[in-house]
Amino acid sequence: MGEQVERVDEYDEVLGVVDRAEAIHRGWLHRVATIVCRDTEGRFLVHRRPDGVPRFPGHLNWMLGGAVDVAESYEDAAARELAEELDVLARPRFVFKFLCRGAISPYWLGLHEVVVAEPVRPDPSEVAWHGWVSERELAELVRHQAFVPDAREAFHRYREGPIG
């Protein structure tokens, strides 16, 4: 049995529990929690995905995250993913969510933000390289072809301000 997620509707209401791979294959909506990390100087953490991962190998991203588990809130998922991927124990702040059409399949993307004052220890299976960049530098990287497409959409929405 694969990773179980809640299938949701266009209003982010739960319809049932399904296998995530099946949800992706069938284009069923599910939930993903993402985290944007900033340092105490306001810079953004950017990372490159490992070459061996199945989705967007070698691509740049400004978000960390993953699927929201069954009966888990976006906020709890964001905190769990932050601990798993960067070994940072913190409670990211929910910023907004939107229905992301997705490069692979559609899903609800919950974006969170956290200020990280401690050194990060990235999981090499998730992060091949990382660095801190200004918002201007990030805006340049977002235009790069090897930037995760869904992360590009989230960045533009983030810059536009709160959307609910």
Side-chain angles (χ1 to χ4, degrees), residues 15-106:
L15 299 173
V17 175
V18 299
D19 180 84
R20 185 178 185 203
E22 183 178 9
I24 290 169
H25 175 74
R26 294 180 179 263
W28 291 340
L29 295 174
H30 56 288
R31 296 172 174 152
V32 171
T34 64
I35 308 99
V36 172
C37 298
R38 300 187 81 166
D39 67 8
T40 55
E41 297 174 32
R43 297 177 301 175
F44 293 88
L45 180 76
V46 174
H47 71 279
R48 187 175 63 76
R49 296 178 49 75
D51 291 330
V53 297
R55 296 184 187 117
F56 308 109
H59 280 58
L60 296 172
N61 199 341
W62 74 304
M63 301 184 303
L64 300 157
V68 176
D69 288 342
V70 175
E72 185 178 40
S73 69
Y74 282 102
E75 292 81 2
D76 288 344
R80 176 180 50 78
E81 291 287 345
L82 184 63
E84 290 174 4
E85 296 186 25
L86 291 185
D87 196 25
V88 171
L89 301 178
R91 188 76 180 168
R93 178 183 65 86
F94 180 82
V95 180
F96 63 82
K97 70 179 179 178
F98 70 96
L99 183 55
C100 182
R101 289 297 163 199
I104 295 173
S105 78

